[in-house]
Amino acid sequence: MQLGDSTVLVCDCAGTMPLDGAAIAKACGAESCAVSRMLCREQIGKVATAARASDRLVIACTQEGAAFFEAIEEAGLDVAPKLVNIRENAGWSEEAGRATPKIAALLQEATLKAPDVPTVEMPSSGICLVYGAGQVALDAARQLDGRMTVSLLLTDMQDLMPLGVMDLMTATGRIAAAKGHLGDFEINVDSYAPLNPASRDALSFGRATNGAAAKCDVILDLSGRAPLFPTPERRDGYLRADPADPVAVQKAIFAASDLVGEFEKPRYVAFRSELCAHSRSRVTGCTRCLDVCPASAIQPDGESVAIDPYLCGGCGSCNSVCPTQAASYAYPADRFLAERTRTLLSTYLAQGGKRPILVVHASEHGGGLIDAMARFGKGLPARAIPFAVHETTQINAEFLMTAFAFGAERIVLLVGDKRRAEIDGLAQQAGLAEAILTGLGYDSGLVEVLVTDDPDTLETALWDARKPKRAVTTAASFLPQPEKRTNMRLATDHLRKSAPDPSDHVSLPPGSAFGRLRIDAENCTLCLSCVGACPTNALTDNPDKPQLGFQESACIQCGLCKNTCPEKVIALEPRYRFGEGANEREIVKEEEPFECISCGKPFAAKSTIEKMIATLGGKHWMFQGAGADRLKMCEDCRVEAVFNDEPHLAAGGRPMPRTTDDYLAARDRGEEDLD
């Protein structure tokens, strides 16, 4: 089957799926679709033939990917086929006969070309530290020795006998601190003591010291203690296993032995410091990414933050909560996710699909649950469309609202139990989407964060899902844009048109990135400190007159204006305003300028000058008399007045120098104070 410039091969897996080639071709808008029966075995020649004809090949099978790649390689071709799973995702289901719209949607989505993702390099020369106690740690170190350069740091000797051959660098101690990543770890060790080579009937060590430092490429932690790093499974090069579990220990040893050479990892997050709203003039504003990063890969860095790509584990939480798109996910970008969603839902709905449920899941975790459902349960309902991402925690409210605008009835965000501690940002974004939807009159519960490792729980959630009374009924057709707030605006405007209660605005939970400012205009002095602090130009001034303007659609509720304001007259109000009104710039306060008493030039807001006079006039010697008048002058006249008025800075006569004779004479006269 030909879809655009992609050749698509479809197989019914030995007749285990009721696939109708003609129906699939019609649903995909293709001329025909030949359905193979055993594409991975006796019909595998079709793969090489298709690869010769097209360098963009899609194969509707993931289980036999190795066989397909091997067949292409043996044919001497340089083609990397895209594999898509229609079997577990659609064909192996109690509703397989009704799954043609979903199959067409999955095939169309597979033809999209994902953008390239930049990478970072991590070279490892194989210097490995084994950290643990007793025989378990020693055996692990000896297994790795020869494959890697191994050092053994014992937390406890237990029943270890003296080493007959000193073939390992061995010491005792406790790691007090560790930092780094694969190829560049640094550790600090307390109670460090090297092994005494003269140990006879029991191990003995030299004198212990604190603060010993060392570097290594890989750490194998078999100590059974608390991990050395937050979210240790995301720290490349750090392997940890329970010393009481021999299988886990052996897996960790095998994994460590592979970590020698040149390695690459995706640069998960693209960061633009000029968009960051973390700080201005040493005043802290937005800390959303700092609050949710589980790997401590984000740190303050002046007026912005810095993201260490080597420590970043790719959870995407920063992308989920960042209001300015300073931190944006690149594996892949949000725009590509929106394009995938639009393709899936538009194809599904155009071919007669009804009430789609978008099941967003991490590839490794969700794929296993869906596979178990297909093999041992009812499989996915025909209306449940799986949507694989790198990590579910990368999803933000803009994506959710865009998916609803494209026609999703419900969205299930599937998270593995081991990621339970990392879902704060995701839950916040789901709550934001729910608040907007319910504020428009749609049913609550259209977004569900489902934390489970149980396929039965997922199956129940999908098959028993109630039909909402008020859900999205019409799908949008706009093209996804690069800016996520633009997509948010397009999506919410569409959802409002057909909403049960098309309100002008809805209240949002605290901490949301949308809202307005409540400014006490009466006590505002138009100092415009807030304008200088605002990172998004939501607050603006007027170069022609004292004026403060505000545009709600640009406000990200970072709090910099509130924290900077010297008068403390600004408060944040999280809400979402629909329509063009949010893009209009409203005048918060304006007044006539204060005119210079010397030249008549308008140079500042009247309230600002009056506040300065009330605060400083008569209370400081510099602002008394003529000094008080200088507060009422423009910058030019003020400088002129300083030089023309009484010379306050003039000094007296030059003192006569004292010589040694003067001091001797004063001493003879009995004068003690020679100055």
Side-chain angles (χ1 to χ4, degrees):
M1 179 171 61
Q2 196 69 30
L3 296 181
D5 59 354
S6 297
T7 299
V8 181
L9 300 180
V10 178
C11 178
D12 65 10
C13 199
T16 59
M17 290 186 286
L19 301 184
D20 184 339
I24 292 175
K26 180 180 178 182
C28 291
E31 293 183 0
S32 63
C33 176
V35 178
S36 300
R37 185 174 180 82
M38 287 292 285
L39 191 62
C40 60
R41 295 295 184 266
E42 57 262 26
Q43 294 176 301
I44 199 162
K46 291 184 177 181
V47 175
T49 301
R52 289 189 185 95
S54 173
D55 59 355
R56 296 204 60 190
L57 180 61
V58 176
I59 302 177
C61 174
T62 54
Q63 175 180 285
E64 299 297 326
F68 301 140
F69 279 94
E70 182 180 354
I72 293 173
E73 184 179 355
E74 288 180 351
L77 302 172
D78 185 19
V79 175
K82 175 78 173 290
L83 307 181
V84 56
N85 186 349
I86 65 170
R87 188 179 68 179
E88 282 82 1
N89 288 340
W92 282 2
S93 166
E94 288 190 1
E95 294 185 342
R98 299 165 49 192
T100 298
K102 179 165 66 170
I103 292 173
L106 293 172
L107 295 176
Q108 287 283 12
E109 181 210 8
T111 64
L112 298 178
K113 188 178 186 302
D116 294 331
V117 178
T119 60
V120 293
E121 295 183 355
M122 296 184 295
S124 169
S125 58
I127 300 174
C128 178
L129 174 70
V130 177
Y131 180 53
Q135 195 67 43
V136 172
L138 176 61
D139 290 344
R142 282 189 163 155
Q143 267 191 265
L144 289 170
D145 190 35
R147 298 181 179 88
M148 310 180 78
T149 303
V150 182
S151 297
L152 174 61
L153 183 62
L154 293 168
T155 58
D156 190 341
M157 278 60 69
Q158 295 181 351
D159 56 353
L160 270 183
M161 296 296 291
L163 305 181
V165 178
M166 296 289 289
D167 53 350
L168 291 170
M169 183 180 293
T170 305
T172 183
R174 178 181 60 83
I175 297 179
K179 64 179 181 179
H181 52 83
L182 174 63
D184 190 22
F185 283 109
E186 295 182 21
I187 61 170
N188 289 314
V189 182
D190 286 344
S191 302
Y192 174 82
L195 178 64
N196 182 1
S199 301
R200 185 175 181 180
D201 57 343
L203 287 177
S204 62
F205 295 85
R207 183 177 179 180
T209 59
N210 290 331
K215 290 188 174 184
C216 59
D217 298 316
V218 178
I219 299 176
L220 176 56
D221 185 354
L222 304 177
S223 65
R225 300 182 177 185
L228 301 178
F229 303 98
T231 57
E233 67 278 1
R234 294 190 184 277
R235 186 65 58 115
D236 296 301
Y238 177 66
L239 304 167
R240 184 167 173 264
D242 182 355
D245 185 346
V247 175
V249 170
Q250 202 61 47
K251 286 182 178 179
I253 292 172
F254 288 149
S257 66
D258 288 335
L259 297 179
V260 182
E262 298 282 341
F263 298 91
E264 287 185 347
K265 66 178 289 186
R267 187 181 289 269
Y268 294 108
V269 178
F271 183 70
R272 297 172 61 187
S273 59
E274 69 273 14
L275 299 180
C276 182
H278 171 60
S279 174
R280 293 294 184 275
S281 303
R282 299 184 180 180
V283 175
T284 301
C286 179
T287 62
R288 292 179 174 93
C289 62
L290 294 166
D291 296 337
V292 300
C293 179
S296 299
I298 307 177
Q299 298 295 330
D301 185 26
E303 292 194 343
S304 69
V305 298
I307 301 179
D308 189 334
Y310 295 97
L311 302 187
C312 175
C315 72
S317 295
C318 55
N319 169 77
S320 176
V321 301
C322 180
T324 65
Q325 217 166 338
S328 58
Y329 210 64
Y331 194 61
D334 284 342
R335 182 180 185 178
F336 183 67
L337 294 187
E339 289 175 352
R340 287 178 55 199
T341 309
R342 179 175 180 270
T343 299
L344 278 169
L345 293 173
S346 62
T347 304
Y348 174 81
L349 293 170
Q351 301 309 317
K354 304 292 184 183
R355 302 176 54 212
I357 302 176
L358 196 65
V359 185
V360 183
H361 64 89
S363 302
E364 293 184 3
H365 172 254
L369 297 190
I370 293 172
D371 181 82
M373 288 172 55
R375 293 175 182 276
F376 308 110
K378 299 167 68 175
L380 286 176
R383 67 190 187 101
I385 304 175
F387 190 84
V389 294
H390 181 65
E391 291 286 358
T392 311
T393 44
Q394 74 187 77
I395 297 301
N396 51 39
E398 288 82 358
F399 170 85
L400 297 174
M401 300 308 294
T402 301
F404 280 117
F406 287 146
E409 180 184 272
R410 292 182 62 217
I411 300 177
V412 175
L413 301 170
L414 180 61
V415 183
D417 194 64
K418 68 178 182 180
R419 299 282 188 252
R420 184 181 295 273
E422 302 177 14
I423 66 170
D424 288 350
L426 180 65
Q428 181 189 68
Q429 296 301 297
L432 173 58
E434 277 276 296
I436 295 175
L437 290 169
T438 55
L440 289 173
Y442 293 106
D443 277 10
S444 62
L446 298 184
V447 181
E448 180 182 4
V449 179
L450 181 61
V451 183
T452 185
D453 291 335
D454 182 8
D456 292 335
T457 300
L458 175 60
E459 184 175 284
T460 300
L462 297 178
W463 284 89
D464 295 349
R466 63 179 177 82
K467 181 178 181 180
K469 296 179 180 179
R470 297 167 296 178
V472 180
T473 56
T474 58
S477 58
F478 63 84
L479 295 176
Q481 302 299 307
E483 297 79 20
K484 64 181 185 179
R485 287 176 81 93
T486 302
N487 288 327
M488 182 74 154
R489 184 65 54 189
L490 292 170
T492 52
D493 286 349
H494 171 81
L495 293 170
R496 184 172 178 267
K497 290 178 182 178
S498 57
D501 182 14
S503 304
D504 291 332
H505 66 270
V506 297
S507 297
L508 298 179
S512 300
F514 300 89
R516 67 172 180 173
L517 302 178
R518 287 186 284 107
I519 300 176
D520 181 1
E522 183 177 349
N523 292 309
C524 172
T525 61
L526 283 176
C527 69
L528 302 180
S529 297
C530 55
V531 174
C534 181
T536 62
N537 292 324
L539 288 164
T540 55
D541 61 352
N542 187 333
D544 298 324
K545 63 186 301 186
Q547 189 181 84
L548 177 63
F550 175 68
Q551 181 181 335
E552 185 167 341
S553 64
C555 181
I556 60 172
Q557 299 281 289
C558 65
L560 276 170
C561 58
K562 174 185 175 183
N563 298 338
T564 301
C565 178
E567 312 301 337
K568 305 303 177 187
V569 297
I570 300 178
L572 307 179
E573 182 183 343
R575 73 171 193 173
Y576 193 88
R577 185 177 180 184
F578 301 93
E580 289 302 317
N583 295 321
E584 295 175 357
R585 192 165 296 277
E586 60 179 291
I587 305 303
V588 177
K589 182 174 182 177
E590 64 178 336
E591 59 184 43
E592 293 302 316
F594 189 91
E595 297 179 349
C596 174
I597 62 173
S598 177
C599 68
K601 168 187 169 182
F603 70 97
K606 184 177 294 186
S607 58
T608 300
I609 300 302
E610 291 173 351
K611 181 66 179 291
M612 290 171 58
I613 295 172
T615 303
L616 300 174
K619 297 181 181 180
H620 194 283
W621 66 269
M622 287 185 66
F623 302 102
Q624 295 178 4
D629 287 339
R630 284 197 289 272
L631 291 174
K632 305 173 186 177
M633 297 179 184
C634 67
E635 61 275 15
D636 296 328
C637 294
R638 191 178 305 123
V639 173
E640 184 177 345
V642 168
F643 282 94
N644 291 339
D645 290 350
E646 181 182 349
H648 295 288
L649 302 180
R654 183 174 182 178
M656 293 293 292
R658 287 180 177 268
T659 66
T660 301
D661 291 340
D662 293 328
Y663 281 96
L664 293 175
R667 185 189 64 184
D668 293 341
R669 292 194 300 270
E671 298 175 2
E672 295 182 359
D673 186 2
L674 303 182
D675 295 327

